[in-house]
Amino acid sequence: MNTDITASTKPEYPVLDRNPPFTRVVGNFSTLDYFRFATITGVSVTVGYLSGIKPGIRGPSMVTGGLIGLMGGFMYAYQNSAGRIMGFFPNDNEVAHYKK
């Protein structure tokens, strides 16, 4: 199975890994990635709760909103981390860390 990623634009920053595995991307999450992940999840839980019109629907609506936010927050953090490893986003910290 070919998992090579071909981009329409060339990376602007140093490339650490052209096709990083899942474990490397998740292990590269920064504090800001975790903060964004938690913020998106928290906002989604709140929006889910507030969108429950009837009191009996608020709980399930909150859980559904939280799950959607959890997945969306994870995907956003993953995208940023993978982008730094592949050289599409500024990656000064990663370059310094992986040169050791």
Side-chain angles (χ1 to χ4, degrees):
M1 182 169 136
N2 185 7
T3 59
D4 192 24
I5 298 171
T6 305
S8 60
T9 60
K10 298 295 178 195
E12 298 177 20
Y13 302 96
V15 177
L16 301 173
D17 191 347
R18 236 182 101 199
N19 189 12
F22 178 82
T23 53
R24 185 169 187 183
V25 174
V26 173
N28 188 54
F29 279 11
S30 67
T31 306
L32 184 58
D33 290 330
Y34 284 114
F35 177 74
R36 289 175 177 161
F37 184 13
T39 302
I40 290 171
T41 303
V43 168
S44 297
V45 168
T46 305
V47 168
Y49 180 79
L50 295 175
S51 65
I53 298 169
K54 296 179 183 177
I57 298 176
R58 286 190 177 161
S61 178
M62 180 178 65
V63 170
T64 303
L67 290 173
I68 291 170
L70 185 75
M71 290 184 288
F74 177 79
M75 287 187 275
Y76 186 66
Y78 190 92
Q79 171 184 312
N80 286 328
S81 179
R84 289 192 306 271
I85 291 174
M86 292 187 288
F88 291 104
F89 301 138
N91 59 0
D92 296 334
N93 293 338
E94 286 79 8
V95 170
H97 179 263
Y98 287 111
K99 280 191 176 179
K100 289 182 181 178

